[in-house]
Amino acid sequence: MATIYEVAALAGVSPATVSRVFNGNTVSEEKQRLVRDAAQKLGFTPNKTARRLRKQSSEIICLLVPDIENPFFTALARGVEDRAQESGFSVVLCNTDDDPAKELRYLQIAASEQMAGVILSPASDEVDLGAIASLGRPVVAVDRTTPYPVDAVKIDNRAAGIAATTALVEAGFRRIACIAGPAGIEETEDRYLGWKQVVTARKTLVRDGFLQHADFRVEGGRAAMKALLDLVQPPDAVVTTNNLMAIGALQALHETGIDPEDFGVAVLGELPYLLPPPVSVVQVRLPARHLGRTAASMLLERIGGDTQPLRTVVLRAEIARPPLSL
Amino acid sequence: MATIYEVAALAGVSPATVSRVFNGNTVSEEKQRLVRDAAQKLGFTPNKTARRLRKQSSEIICLLVPDIENPFFTALARGVEDRAQESGFSVVLCNTDDDPAKELRYLQIAASEQMAGVILSPASDEVDLGAIASLGRPVVAVDRTTPYPVDAVKIDNRAAGIAATTALVEAGFRRIACIAGPAGIEETEDRYLGWKQVVTARKTLVRDGFLQHADFRVEGGRAAMKALLDLVQPPDAVVTTNNLMAIGALQALHETGIDPEDFGVAVLGELPYLLPPPVSVVQVRLPARHLGRTAASMLLERIGGDTQPLRTVVLRAEIARPPLSL
DNA sequence: AAAGTGCAAGAAATCGATTTCGTCAAGCAC
DNA sequence: GTGCTTGACGAAATCGATTTCTTGCACTTT
């Protein structure tokens, strides 16, 4: 790996001049040519590490998500990556597994690696952004927000919950249950509030036990669905607040031998594409990739020195297919 | 961010001593304590960039895959990440989109970022590993191999192709087609050779047009399946050489109104989990996560200075469910 | 013609760690 | 007691770029 000194020696100039050539400072035409030729000949690539040490910042964005195996976050990551690419940034993708300790560890790495900024979907309300913040590195929260004063991009979760539930009501279902994520996570809380608002306003039948909390995973959704089906008066439809739990719910229905056409399922998020799902399934499409793209754009603006007041961008989800009548 | 100098000043020792404390060199008990206390008090975290510049290497692994949105690669990435974590390494995940130009760009970044090593699933046979190789950074190929002399972890693709096809034969299908990936990609080539071997040996009916090439995506699989169904004498079963094309194929079957129970489909890879697929679907499970884990282990060994001769590890895929009789 | 202005470009400092080199003192052999 | 080894540890060099400081020269300006 050729260094700036070797290039300088070959071109017969000082290292400073070589640096200036590559950083757009005033250098005479002639020396520019000399330097470029020399660099070309030696296959010179500036050492990013040295530059970073000097400049105290890098072109790397840290993206922290709970689970890359969840297609929602994969799509989000893809959006971030695409946008970052365009500006010559690279993305380091880290899994927190919704574990605050892992999250903290990664945040420290981000700080000590001089990463340019962080996009995260916080594992808990108690994220400690202190280390990052004190370095003046921008942070953008995606999908979930935090009590820390940072930019955020989120989905209108309440509206999504309302849309999903309304679609079921309009399809003729009257006993609509809800499988929500862990209590206390704002994202899922808002979605379930959307459900609550609709079932209350529309005066559908709601029993004790119609609200189930589960973790965000397939197994949780399956267990919650089983519990719902075991009720004395079980629901005839369900809203699940994320994609994985919906899969679990569908599995439970299948195992119980219920014809999926007879049972309404509304999903906040997308099911993995395979075959067209049963007609009684409503998907509220969450714009994951767009979420990532937007977050990356905001972060890059901040990195570029933008100092406007904190922003929270709220993206609207859309219903994947029009509500159906039974 | 406190530096080693501030710690040294507070502890009343030289910066060299501070460094020694954190790098396991001989320092007296007493000064160790002084240094650790001072570091603690200042919240000192060593600056990775400075260290990297000096040591000429980092604790970052670069992982290049064609498409993170493909669950196969996501699982692979997860395996790499888990293993890397255990050794305190971070993983930078990059999408090549099977584009050699993007791939090259990322390889250059890996070099100029002093990344410790690269794990890649090469977009083409012409990957230029020159830059990386000349720096002495280890490289491990996953899933696909390259003409360059590097370690590799792959799947026994031929055996997987054989297993998939055999399962269909044993289930009673007699006109078995194959939807293979782009011609010239070794990985898919081997899988299709497995198919060919079985259909030849078992003397099943093979028509012109029973071998379809498609890109690796859903759309390609769907189009190929349509082409197969349009044949004068269409097949009664198909082997698809990756997961996404299988989804496309199933969609095409569905759209054509064919009962999936009547048509055999063998997939090399896993379908996204949703409901149990039709009984006529055979999945050959590819150990993606394990592939990633193994690749990361090998890379880390090399990074650690292992100089044993080049290795290629071949992992065996397993049939997700026993072959069925019709 | 003397003094002032502007600009290209070299010299040297800087970023923060690691590491080599050298010093000093303690411990030991003869 | 002299000489030699050994270990702790400070001083200073080093990694490779960026950036500030300076210098020197050309060109105005009065």
Side-chain angles (χ1 to χ4, degrees):
Chain A
M1 220 54 175
T3 73
I4 210 172
Y5 296 94
E6 303 173 41
V7 175
L10 182 57
V13 301
S14 77
T17 301
V18 177
S19 173
R20 285 191 267 257
V21 168
F22 290 104
N23 290 282
N25 273 306
T26 51
V27 177
S28 70
E29 285 291 330
E30 189 200 343
K31 303 224 161 180
Q32 289 227 14
R33 205 180 33 69
L34 282 172
V35 169
R36 287 192 197 284
D37 286 355
Q40 178 81 38
K41 192 174 302 174
L42 296 174
F44 168 73
T45 324
N47 180 314
K48 292 272 182 67
T49 303
R51 148 182 300 191
R52 182 177 315 167
L53 177 59
R54 183 62 233 242
K55 307 240 288 191
Q56 299 288 309
S57 110
S58 67
E59 281 80 51
I60 295 189
I61 291 175
C62 182
L63 172 61
L64 290 178
V65 297
D67 176 18
I68 355 172
E69 289 199 78
N70 183 333
F72 174 78
F73 290 112
T74 313
L76 191 152
R78 191 66 213 244
V80 170
E81 228 234 337
D82 286 350
R83 180 65 189 78
Q85 262 269 337
E86 290 168 16
S87 299
F89 280 65
S90 308
V91 177
V92 178
L93 182 49
C94 310
N95 257 305
T96 63
D97 286 325
D98 266 323
D99 172 356
K102 265 189 148 180
E103 185 170 81
L104 182 62
R105 218 192 120 221
Y106 276 123
L107 285 170
Q108 281 169 343
I109 292 179
S112 70
E113 287 277 356
Q114 258 83 40
M115 297 189 188
V118 175
I119 297 179
L120 91 162
S121 193
S124 84
D125 264 7
E126 285 96 40
V127 226
D128 182 9
L129 297 178
I132 294 287
S134 68
L135 286 175
R137 305 261 181 248
V139 174
V140 175
V142 273
D143 193 39
R144 307 176 185 172
T145 58
T146 88
Y148 272 80
V150 296
D151 288 318
V153 189
K154 48 174 291 192
I155 286 167
D156 188 338
N157 287 310
R158 181 130 183 184
I162 291 174
T165 316
T166 305
L168 289 177
V169 172
E170 291 181 353
F173 296 103
R174 284 295 170 269
R175 302 195 310 280
I176 304 172
C178 179
I179 299 179
I185 292 192
E186 166 211 11
E187 161 198 18
T188 199
E189 201 93 349
D190 283 346
R191 294 179 185 175
Y192 123 73
L193 286 174
W195 163 79
K196 192 164 177 189
Q197 178 177 334
V198 175
V199 290
T200 308
R202 296 298 198 102
K203 301 203 170 53
T204 67
L205 197 83
V206 179
R207 296 273 153 194
D208 274 2
F210 266 27
L211 173 61
Q212 293 281 330
H213 285 286
D215 61 7
F216 273 131
R217 326 228 77 230
V218 174
E219 259 325 300
R222 179 203 237 112
M225 190 73 204
K226 293 235 154 128
L228 286 174
L229 294 175
D230 280 347
L231 291 176
V232 184
Q233 194 170 9
D236 63 355
V238 68
V239 174
T240 62
T241 64
N242 91 340
N243 54 354
L244 299 186
M245 294 190 301
I247 292 171
L250 285 167
Q251 287 176 351
L253 279 176
H254 186 265
E255 287 162 15
T256 319
I258 293 179
D259 185 341
E261 303 286 333
D262 297 339
F263 198 99
V265 178
V267 191
L268 296 192
E270 266 170 282
L271 296 175
Y273 53 164
L274 188 52
L275 301 182
V279 288
S280 60
V281 172
V282 178
Q283 296 182 56
V284 177
R285 216 153 255 165
L286 304 178
R289 192 156 178 168
H290 199 75
L291 209 63
R293 208 168 215 300
T294 308
S297 289
M298 287 171 73
L299 189 73
L300 288 167
E301 280 174 27
R302 293 287 185 201
I303 290 170
D306 181 350
T307 57
Q308 67 173 285
L310 287 183
R311 289 174 293 171
T312 295
V313 174
V314 178
L315 300 180
R316 196 70 179 245
E318 57 179 32
I319 289 255
R321 36 154 103 185
L324 322 142
S325 39
L326 257 190
Chain B
M1 221 54 177
T3 73
I4 209 172
Y5 296 94
E6 304 173 42
V7 175
L10 181 58
V13 301
S14 76
T17 302
V18 177
S19 173
R20 285 192 267 256
V21 167
F22 290 104
N23 290 281
N25 272 305
T26 52
V27 177
S28 70
E29 286 291 331
E30 190 200 342
K31 305 225 160 182
Q32 289 227 13
R33 205 179 33 70
L34 281 172
V35 168
R36 287 193 197 284
D37 286 355
Q40 179 80 37
K41 192 174 300 174
L42 295 174
F44 167 73
T45 324
N47 181 313
K48 292 272 182 70
T49 304
R51 149 184 299 194
R52 182 178 315 168
L53 177 58
R54 183 62 232 244
K55 306 238 291 193
Q56 299 287 311
S57 111
S58 67
E59 281 80 51
I60 295 187
I61 290 175
C62 182
L63 173 61
L64 290 177
V65 297
D67 177 19
I68 353 172
E69 289 198 81
N70 183 332
F72 174 78
F73 289 112
T74 312
L76 191 152
R78 191 66 213 246
V80 170
E81 229 235 336
D82 288 349
R83 180 64 189 79
Q85 263 270 337
E86 289 169 16
S87 301
F89 280 65
S90 307
V91 177
V92 177
L93 182 50
C94 309
N95 255 305
T96 64
D97 285 324
D98 267 325
D99 172 356
K102 265 190 146 179
E103 184 169 83
L104 182 61
R105 216 192 120 222
Y106 276 122
L107 285 171
Q108 281 170 344
I109 291 179
S112 70
E113 287 277 357
Q114 260 83 40
M115 296 190 189
V118 176
I119 297 178
L120 91 163
S121 191
S124 84
D125 265 7
E126 284 96 40
V127 227
D128 183 7
L129 296 179
I132 294 288
S134 68
L135 286 175
R137 305 262 180 246
V139 174
V140 175
V142 271
D143 193 38
R144 307 176 185 172
T145 58
T146 87
Y148 272 80
V150 296
D151 288 319
V153 189
K154 47 174 288 189
I155 286 166
D156 189 336
N157 287 309
R158 182 130 184 185
I162 291 174
T165 316
T166 305
L168 289 177
V169 172
E170 291 181 352
F173 295 102
R174 283 296 169 267
R175 303 195 311 280
I176 304 170
C178 178
I179 300 179
I185 292 192
E186 165 211 13
E187 163 197 16
T188 199
E189 201 93 350
D190 282 347
R191 295 179 185 175
Y192 123 73
L193 286 174
W195 164 78
K196 191 163 177 190
Q197 178 177 333
V198 174
V199 292
T200 308
R202 295 300 198 103
K203 299 203 171 53
T204 67
L205 198 84
V206 180
R207 296 272 153 195
D208 275 0
F210 265 27
L211 173 62
Q212 293 281 330
H213 285 286
D215 62 7
F216 273 131
R217 326 228 76 230
V218 174
E219 261 324 300
R222 179 204 236 111
M225 191 69 205
K226 292 235 153 126
L228 286 174
L229 294 175
D230 280 347
L231 290 175
V232 185
Q233 196 169 7
D236 62 356
V238 69
V239 174
T240 63
T241 64
N242 90 341
N243 54 353
L244 300 186
M245 294 191 301
I247 292 171
L250 284 167
Q251 287 176 350
L253 280 176
H254 186 265
E255 287 161 17
T256 319
I258 293 177
D259 185 342
E261 304 286 333
D262 296 339
F263 198 99
V265 178
V267 191
L268 295 192
E270 264 170 282
L271 296 175
Y273 54 162
L274 189 51
L275 302 180
V279 289
S280 59
V281 172
V282 178
Q283 298 181 55
V284 178
R285 216 152 256 164
L286 305 178
R289 193 156 178 168
H290 199 74
L291 208 61
R293 213 169 210 297
T294 308
S297 289
M298 286 171 74
L299 189 73
L300 288 167
E301 281 174 25
R302 292 288 184 199
I303 290 170
D306 180 351
T307 57
Q308 68 173 283
L310 287 184
R311 288 175 294 171
T312 295
V313 173
V314 178
L315 299 180
R316 197 68 179 247
E318 56 180 33
I319 288 254
R321 36 154 101 188
L324 322 141
S325 38
L326 258 190

